[in-house]
Each structure stands twice: as C-alpha cells, then as structure tokens.
Amino acid sequence: MQQHGTEQHRTEQHRTEQSVTVIGLGPMGQAMAGAFLDQGYEVTVWNRTASRADDLVARGALLAPDVEKALAANELVVLSLTDYDAVYATLGPADAALAGRVLVNLSSDTPEKARAAARWAEERGAVQLTGGVTVPPSGIGGAESSTFYSGPRDVYDRHRAALEVITGRTDHRGEDPGLAALMYQIGMVMFWTSMLSYWQAVALADANGLSAADILPHAVETANSLPGFFSFYAERIDAGRHVGDVDRLAMGTASVEHVLHTNADAGVDTTLPAAVVELFRRGMAAGHAADSFSSLVELLKKAEV
Ligand code: NDP
C-alpha cells in the first residue's frame, strides 16, 4: 500500500484549487474519493482502517499517515463517518489541526448533533457545512443525485464546484447547520418505514408461497401510487383541512385491521401492522372517525403523554 512518506507528504496546504481531503472510507467515502479522482482532483484520504484506502491509492489517492496530516493537506475536508461520535473520535485527538479548515460533514446524525458539531468546529477555527446525501454509494458522482447542505452560504458558494462532484445537484437549505440533517432525517423516516413495509409484504407473500419476484410488479405499482397521495394531501394538510370527502378514518381503521388479521392468519410477525392499527385507533378515540385519515398528522404532531 502506498502511503505518504515523511518526505513525500506535504505538510503545507496544497496550492492547487482542485484538491480535497476525504476522511472516512466506508462505501460512501470511497465512492466520494473515487469521484474526485475521476474529476482530476488531488485527493488525500485517511481512514481508521487504512487498508480500505488500497483501491483509491492504486488509483492515485494519497494516504495520509495520520489525521493531522490529512487535515493539513487541504482546506476542504470531506467527512464521511458513521455518525458524529465517530467524527469526534476521529478529529478530537487532532483538533489543533482544524483551524482554517472547511469541514463538509456528510456523516449522518440528528440536527441537534449537527448544530453542536458546527459550534465545536467553530471553537477550533474551522467551519462546518452540514450535508445530507440522498443517494447510496452507486449514486455518488451522478449528475442527477442530490445532497442537502446547510451552514454558511458563502462557504457553500465558494466550494460549490467540489460539492457538485459528490452529487451533481446540491440544495443549500439555510445557514442553520441543523437544516441539512433535518432534511436528511425527513427522507430517512420515510425510507426506513417504507422499506420495512416492503419487508412485511415480502414476509406475508412468502407465508403464502409467493416469492419477492412474484409480487415485485404489484409492490412497484403500489409504491408508485404514493406520490399522487402526497401531492393530494399536502395542500389540505397545510390548510388544516382533514375533511373526510374522499376517505374516512373509520374506513381506514377497518382496512388496517384487515391487514393485521391477514398477517396474523399467515403466522408472520405482526409488530408493524399492529403499530399501524394502534395509531388508527388512537385517531378514532380522538374523534376523527369521520375525518380523512390525514387527521392522523395532528396526532403525530405531539408525542403521546
Ligand atoms: P460506514 O458506517 O460503512 O463507514 C463509515 C466510516 O466511519 C468508516 O470509514 C469507518 O472506519 C468510520 N468510523 C466509524 N466509527 C469510527 C470511529 N469511532 N472512529 C473512526 N472512524 C470510524 O458508512 P457509509 O460509508 O455507508 O456511510 C457514511 C455516512 O453516510 C453515514 O453517516 C451514513 O449514514 C451516510 N449515508 C450512507 C448511505 C449509504 O447508502 N451507505 C446513503 C446516504 C448517507 P473503519 O473503516 O475503520 O470502520
């Protein structure tokens, strides 16, 4: 494995405009470093498990021997770590090297943690741009892929060309460093629960002798119908209108009970459908039987006491 030797490694910040440091070489960080290499950037990388840099080094990346040197190499530092605890674990011991750095933090975590990390960086003379990447590793470098950003607008503007190497589309949501993390989490609550609903459907199908492939066209069609529902309800929800003209919570409750019973009869796990039934029943108990099932939003706005 090629590594920056003591002589080889530049301790001074690289002068070229097209140079970047990528810290964290999981599937995402590897794809990001690869995308920068493809675009002719000089790429310095560091990862806790150094062997994960092997392929990138073979393609021309420079492996920094430690985090300090990775930080020293470039003003622009992309962080792609599991979460913010990993960010502190990685940068904490090298925090003297943070001054003057722009940390493009693409590690996912909560908005509150993103805000705290931005303050932490500022106290050390660095600035954080929080990012929330909306595509998997295969989408990194794609023209249509997108990332939410938040933090100082001038820093975002100055580094936009590099950010657009990671994903062709970028969306700066505002100065608050928590906003990008919030947008990311809004996507993730939908992603995880939707995927879980698909796993449930596959389990139910399997219990009835149908494979995932057998139900694929039906699953895809069902998923593709959802955007139409989002668009229809968004305007009504924002206007506080949960009128039961096209659907009623009472009808929805009967339907989700059928779902629960179908799953129970098949002998598959009912945790998910039972949780759905529980929410619908709470809506009924709150007096929304004749309202649209979008009235459940009002219930979800407050944690149950
Ligand atoms: P991984 O969790 O696979 O890898 C992240 C990196 O974090 C690895 O390089 C790992 O180092 C490092 N790491 C973890 N804990 C520590 C620690 N305590 N100290 C030092 N380094 C640590 O994540 P991904 O590459 O899949 O994703 C990176 C980020 O992007 C995550 O926050 C993820 O949620 C987000 N994301 C991921 C997507 C995906 O599809 N994978 C899509 C969109 C966002 P080591 O190699 O040594 O273990």
Side-chain angles (χ1 to χ4, degrees), residues 25-28 47-49 52 80-82 90 108 133 135 137 184:
L25 300 176
M28 291 293 272
N47 193 55
R48 178 179 61 178
T49 309
R52 283 185 136 179
S80 180
L81 296 156
T82 304
T90 303
S108 73
V133 184
V135 292
Y184 178 82

Side-chain angles (χ1 to χ4, degrees), residues 236-237 240-244 290-298:
R236 289 177 166 221
I237 290 169
R241 278 183 74 225
H242 298 294
V243 55
D291 295 337
S292 165
F293 80 130
S294 65
S295 59
L296 291 181
V297 166
E298 303 306 324

Side-chain angles (χ1 to χ4, degrees), residues 24 38 50 71 81 112 126 155 163 186 191 232 260 264 278:
D38 288 345
L71 290 170
L81 296 156
E112 277 311 312
V155 176
L163 302 180
I186 284 171
F191 176 79
F232 175 76
L260 174 61
E278 159 66 14

Side-chain angles (χ1 to χ4, degrees), residues 23-30 32 46-50 52 79-91 106-109 132-138 140 184 188 192:
I23 294 180
L25 300 176
M28 291 293 272
Q30 289 192 28
M32 289 170 195
W46 184 88
N47 193 55
R48 178 179 61 178
T49 309
R52 283 185 136 179
L79 302 173
S80 180
L81 296 156
T82 304
D83 53 25
Y84 279 56
D85 285 346
V87 170
Y88 293 121
T90 303
L91 300 186
L106 303 176
S107 318
S108 73
D109 218 314
V133 184
T134 66
V135 292
S138 58
I140 296 301
Y184 178 82
M188 291 320 284
W192 289 123

Side-chain angles (χ1 to χ4, degrees), residues 137-162:
S138 58
I140 296 301
E144 290 307 312
S145 303
S146 70
T147 303
F148 293 111
Y149 286 101
S150 66
R153 175 82 206 199
D154 57 330
V155 176
Y156 164 81
D157 286 338
R158 194 151 52 84
H159 292 286
R160 193 146 175 194

